Amino acid sequence: MLRADRLVLHGSAFRGVVTVRTAAGSTRALKFTARSLDFGDLDLTAGRGRAAMRLRTKPASTSTVKGKDVVTLYTQKLSGTLVGLGGAPLPADRSVTVTPDTLPPWLSHPAVPTRTITFENVTVSQVAQLSGDLSIAGPALSARP
């Protein structure tokens, strides 16, 4: 699970719901591409039980994911407060949860193929794959109890 005080998807595009292969089998996921991703106060937990590891960044820091051309993010659930849609009007209810079965109308817009989308207090669940290089400011790695 990935949590952040702020998530900015720069030049992003929603590419639809796709099937992704994981170690546990195939699953449906949301596919996003972006020029880069910024995470404010990143808190990432991977694994379960005694095998879980937690990576946290120092307070008030920004971690960035950049790729050669684009960054690809696959996730089963993204929830948080929507605070920016690349200049487009925000929905009345800015508290959002996006899953393969709950796609809000603002997520993809044919007239605006790419835009910067910003969330606050975001949780990204079941990250299946994240391409690109992650730059972390002040990482702290620990075994999760």
Side-chain angles (χ1 to χ4, degrees):
M1 174 153 330
L2 184 152
R3 291 186 178 97
D5 287 348
R6 187 170 185 85
L7 167 61
V8 183
L9 293 93
H10 296 280
S12 69
F14 175 63
R15 302 296 181 183
V17 177
V18 298
T19 300
V20 176
R21 290 186 204 147
T22 69
S26 295
T27 187
R28 294 173 62 229
L30 306 164
K31 179 181 180 181
F32 295 89
T33 58
R35 281 193 325 272
S36 64
L37 306 174
D38 288 340
F39 298 98
D41 295 338
L42 177 66
D43 184 348
L44 177 65
T45 301
R48 293 190 179 163
R50 293 183 182 262
M53 295 299 290
R54 185 175 186 188
L55 173 74
R56 295 184 344 179
T57 60
K58 67 181 180 179
S61 67
T62 299
S63 301
T64 301
V65 178
K66 291 184 180 177
K68 287 186 177 183
D69 297 316
V70 295
V71 174
T72 304
L73 170 68
Y74 296 95
T75 183
Q76 290 180 320
K77 181 178 178 183
L78 188 152
S79 59
T81 303
L82 183 65
V83 296
L85 268 176
L90 294 169
D93 184 5
R94 297 183 313 139
S95 179
V96 299
T97 297
V98 183
T99 70
D101 297 318
T102 57
L103 301 175
W106 55 262
L107 188 57
S108 59
H109 193 291
V112 186
T114 62
R115 60 183 165 185
T116 297
I117 300 175
T118 306
F119 295 92
E120 288 181 346
N121 301 315
V122 69
T123 300
V124 182
S125 302
Q126 302 298 323
V127 178
Q129 183 177 2
L130 180 67
S131 70
D133 296 321
L134 175 61
S135 298
I136 300 173
L141 184 63
S142 63
R144 187 162 186 199

